[in-house]
Each structure stands twice: as C-alpha cells, then as structure tokens.
Amino acid sequence: MSQTSGQSWRAGAGPFLWLAALLAPLRLWRLGEWGLWIDEAYTWADLHHAFSSEGIFNPWGYRLIGAVVALAGGEPSEFSLRLAPCLAGIACVPLTWWAFRPVVGTRRAAFAALLVASSAWLVYWSQSARFYTFALGVSLAGAGLFLRGEWRSAGPAGGRVLAAAGLGTVCLAGAFHPSALLLAGPLAAAALVRRARASQTIGRAALALTALLVAVALLLAGPWASDALAHHASQKGIDRPLAGLSHLLLTCGYFFTPVLLAGAFAGAWSGLRRGESFLGFALAVVSLGAVSAALLSTRMVISAQYVLALLPWAAVLASGLLSPSATADRRVRDRAVAVLLVLPAVANLALYALVREGERPAWRDAYEYVDARRRPGDLVLGMAAPVGEFTLGGANVDLRHPETVATLSDWFPDAPRRWTRHARRIWVVVRPQWFGGFRERDRDRIRAWLRAECRLVRRFAVDMEGRDLDVHVYLRE
C-alpha cells in the first residue's frame, strides 16, 4: 500500500503537505490575545494548589505547562500558559502524516494531516491552556508505532514489540488526559479481532500472547481509569441519560463538523468496497471509541473534546475518498474531493480567527472594562470569577478562591443577596447562557434583581452562529 516518497510526491502528496505545513503554525496566531476561559484559569490554580488532592489524574500536563511558564519568565499570561499546548497542536499535524503513512500511503496520509491542520476545533484546543493536544500528540505517536507493528512485515517478533510499545504509548497519553484511553481500548480490541481472523497465519501462540499483554495493560490501568471516571461523574453527573447522549452527539457533530463526518463515512464506505483492510480497521477503532463515549455519556457529561483522539482517525477515513493510486485520469476527481472537504474547513478556520474571536466569551475584556471604571470600595461580582481574579487579582494564584472578585455561580447563587445588604456600588459580570444551569428559583431571583436594581452598561458580543458567547456587565449604583 505504501509508496516511495518521490513517487508519492509526484503523485500529489506535495500540495497537501505544503498546505498542511502552512496551516499548522497558524495556531500561534493571536495566541495571547484571546482572554482565558474558566478551565484555563483552573489550570493555573490547580498547578499550585491541587497536586495534594485526589482530583488530579493528569499531572504531566500541568507540569509541562508550568515548566513552559517558568521558562518564559515565571509570570503567567495567556501566551505563556498556552504555548506548550500550542506547540503540541502544531506537532499533531506532522504526527498524523507519520502515523498513517505506512498503511495508507504518503498521499492519503498527507491529506489526513491537511484535514487535521485545517480543523478549527483542534486550533481551539491548541490555543487553550489545557491538555488535549498533549494527549492527542502522544496517542498519535503510539498509533504510529502500533500500526507499524501490526502492518509491517519485518518479522512477527519485531512487529509484536512495536505494536506493544505503541499500545503502551497510547495508554501513556492518559497521563496527559484520561480521555486518551478511549482510543487505547478500541485500538487493542480491533487488533485482537484482526489477529484472530488471521490466527492461522500469525500463530495461536502469538494471538494468546497479544491477548495476555492487553489483559495485563487493562488490569494495570483499570483502577486508575475507574477512579478518574468516578471523579468525573461526581463533578459532572447527569440526571437524564438521553440528555447526556444528546449533548455528546450535538457537540461532536458541531466540532468534528458535518463535512468531515460525512467525508469519513463516505471514505470508509469507498475503502470497504475496494477491500482495503486498514480502512475497515480504522472504522472499527472509530466506531468502538464512539460507542464507548456514548455509553459513558449516559452516566456523566461527555463532550466532544473527550473524543478528540479520534479526530485524526476520522481524517484518515475521509482520505479513503482519494484513489489508492493517483493516476492521471483520477487526479481531477481527487482534487475535486479534496476541495470539497478542505475548503469548508479552511473557511471555518478563517471565521474562528477573524470573526469569532477565538470562539471564547470576552471575560477578560469585561473584567478589564470593570477595572477601568470601578471606584475604591466597589464590589466586583461575577461568573467565571477565577478569570476575573486572574485579570484583577494581582499575585493571587489560588484562583479557585478569589479575593478580588466575588463568585456568582450555580453552586453559589446567594452571592447577590449576601452583598446587596451593603450600600455600595456593585459591578456584575454575567454570561446569560449560564443561567440555564441554575435552579429555576435561583435563576428567576437573580434575573429579577438585575432588572430591578441594576442597569446593563456594556455587552461584549461574539459574532458566532449556533452558540451564545455574550458577556454582559451590569452596574448597581
């Protein structure tokens, strides 16, 4: 299936690789200009105060971000907090090409890398002080080793060693974020099924050894994964299973994008019709990962970012729409297919960077607006209080316990009633969409207070279809 580099370059891989190489560094574009969102503030807070708790299951990601901030001078900023995830996001583009090249060829792997490079969703996580790009990069490195072990004919023993090392590396990605393990299980299961089908060729002893290695890995990782899931369920449990499943499906449809999902489905169908075994394997991995996430979503909140590790696999399925060998008469068709898949993604990426302001609520702008106008003695009360504390709180790094900004949230809805007993000005920063998470009685009481005693002084809007990211600033005189 694989081709030599020179042949593949002449056959059409070059343009895909060049465009992917041009798009990948765009993750640095305005990296420090978007204000933090609340989970990024929690990253900085937990780096200092949560390692002694039982709620940190991915310490490597925290320490890597902290190390880069220290190298940048030790003073946290949006840029320094995001630099490490950004570089990891850039690395995910060539890693996609490298991981899948042995099994789909250079041209298709380059096209998959281009789809990954043009994903506004991956750019978003590359520009967030979180850990998903770390996990994705390590899982791609592991997948590349695993696929070389499974598909290369360099000898059964060498192949098993590579496959085992690759699966182990995919599991290590869970140290950056536990969601990466949603790839490890499906990868191992699909490989076992594949080996079982070819057991007469590879030998039953080799199959039994593979199954034993997988079982040992599951036993070792099982307690840790179980604790991580239990902690997540305690923090983000759901009352209605169908609501959790609906949330997962809607977020995946939005962030993977309908175009890429349709391309992945069509590419898988085309590959299966041609009898391409790897595309069938990739479809099994994606399907098993999606089913696992769907089952979990009936018990706890599972959003699209928890299946980010499946993004390159969806891209390589979409590459199945390209002809296995780019003969002259098929190049025109392949170019048309490439344009249909890539152009919407690039347009979406342009909207992300130029119109949607990084798809983030303007918390920093709102709190800076308040800071420029507040008087001594004024109270600042707001949602996303850790972001406000990062912006206004100076040296306070315990952002989960703000001192400058009073907290208004669904778990502390009585803040207005506590503070309105005092005759002083109050600045209130809210994101109206978040009121949907409050109990109805609390939501109605706060909204009534804002209407009766406060006035809207500024609205920070983000021009984005399908999502309400607006932040409002109220003033109570």
Side-chain angles (χ1 to χ4, degrees):
M1 180 71 71
S2 61
Q3 308 169 35
T4 64
S5 299
Q7 290 172 336
S8 299
W9 192 271
R10 291 191 296 271
F16 297 149
L17 287 174
W18 279 118
L19 188 53
L22 287 173
L23 290 175
L26 289 180
R27 285 150 176 75
L28 290 164
W29 170 262
R30 302 181 70 182
L31 183 62
E33 293 186 31
W34 320 124
L36 296 184
W37 55 286
I38 190 166
D39 281 4
E40 292 181 284
Y42 286 150
T43 296
W44 183 242
D46 293 345
L47 178 61
H48 293 85
H49 297 282
F51 276 99
S52 60
S53 73
E54 297 180 353
I56 298 296
F57 296 92
N58 51 327
W60 292 3
Y62 285 96
R63 296 196 186 282
L64 185 53
I65 288 176
V68 172
V69 172
L71 288 174
E75 187 69 25
S77 66
E78 285 82 357
F79 182 87
S80 62
L81 285 169
R82 293 169 177 161
L83 182 57
C86 180
L87 296 176
I90 292 173
C92 287
V93 175
L95 279 171
T96 298
W97 172 76
W98 173 82
F100 296 109
R101 183 186 178 195
V103 287
V104 296
T106 294
R107 187 172 65 99
R108 282 181 172 180
F111 183 64
L114 174 56
L115 291 175
V116 168
S118 59
S119 170
W121 183 39
L122 183 53
V123 172
Y124 177 88
W125 290 115
S126 301
Q127 296 190 327
S128 294
R130 300 299 283 169
F131 320 106
Y132 300 102
T133 56
F134 300 150
L136 178 59
V138 175
S139 71
L140 279 169
L145 293 174
F146 184 87
L147 294 176
R148 282 161 172 78
E150 283 290 308
W151 260 265
R152 277 188 172 176
S153 57
R160 287 195 296 273
V161 170
L162 268 181
L167 186 60
T169 303
V170 172
C171 291
L172 283 178
F176 289 102
H177 199 277
S179 63
L181 294 180
L182 281 174
L183 177 64
L187 198 61
L192 280 175
V193 171
R194 177 178 179 270
R195 289 197 171 201
R197 286 183 172 180
S199 59
Q200 292 182 350
T201 303
I202 67 172
R204 296 187 181 277
L207 178 62
L209 178 60
T210 302
L212 178 62
L213 290 174
V214 170
V216 170
L218 291 176
L219 286 174
L220 292 175
W224 174 83
S226 178
D227 290 344
L229 285 173
H231 177 76
H232 183 75
S234 69
Q235 298 291 316
K236 296 185 177 181
I238 58 172
D239 298 324
R240 295 180 294 124
L242 287 180
L245 180 59
S246 175
H247 174 76
L248 174 65
L249 293 177
L250 288 173
T251 55
C252 285
Y254 186 89
F255 290 110
F256 275 89
T257 75
V259 173
L260 178 58
L261 291 175
F265 178 82
W269 178 257
S270 298
L272 290 174
R273 289 185 64 186
R274 290 190 296 264
E276 297 185 46
S277 62
F278 174 73
L279 291 183
F281 177 86
L283 179 61
V285 170
V286 171
S287 299
L288 289 171
V291 168
S292 300
L295 291 174
L296 290 174
S297 73
T298 64
R299 304 291 300 276
M300 62 196 75
V301 176
I302 299 292
S303 298
Q305 64 262 32
Y306 298 122
V307 292
L308 181 65
L310 299 180
L311 175 64
W313 291 82
V316 84
L317 284 176
S319 76
L321 286 171
L322 303 184
S323 304
S325 57
T327 57
D329 59 330
R330 293 178 179 177
R331 288 182 188 175
V332 174
R333 173 191 170 278
D334 284 356
R335 288 170 185 165
V337 168
V339 168
L340 287 174
L341 288 177
V342 174
L343 192 58
V346 173
N348 192 40
L349 183 56
L351 289 173
Y352 167 90
L354 302 175
V355 176
R356 299 172 184 160
E357 299 294 321
E359 300 183 4
R360 289 163 171 80
W363 293 115
R364 183 181 66 185
D365 294 340
Y367 279 109
E368 287 180 343
Y369 174 87
V370 170
D371 190 42
R373 290 160 180 79
R374 62 175 173 156
R375 302 170 187 168
D378 285 1
L379 171 70
V380 181
L381 171 67
M383 296 177 174
V387 180
E389 191 72 12
F390 183 86
T391 305
L392 309 180
N396 182 21
V397 295
D398 191 3
L399 302 182
R400 287 188 180 271
H401 300 91
E403 298 174 355
T404 304
V405 179
T407 299
L408 174 61
S409 70
D410 57 338
W411 52 267
F412 187 36
D414 292 329
R417 186 164 56 185
R418 168 184 289 190
W419 295 112
T420 51
R421 295 175 298 176
H422 304 279
R424 60 173 171 173
R425 298 206 316 170
I426 300 178
W427 296 90
V428 189
V429 180
V430 299
R431 181 181 171 191
Q433 188 196 42
W434 281 8
F435 281 127
F438 285 61
R439 291 179 298 178
E440 184 177 358
R441 182 187 63 182
D442 297 329
R443 178 172 63 245
D444 293 343
R445 186 172 71 243
I446 294 173
R447 283 176 169 171
W449 175 68
L450 290 174
R451 287 194 302 268
E453 299 188 35
C454 307
R455 60 185 176 90
L456 179 65
V457 293
R458 184 67 188 270
R459 176 174 175 263
F460 292 88
V462 175
D463 188 8
M464 183 173 181
E465 68 286 352
R467 298 181 68 195
D468 179 7
L469 300 177
D470 291 2
V471 175
H472 293 178
V473 178
Y474 289 85
L475 175 61
R476 184 240 198 184
E477 298 281 4

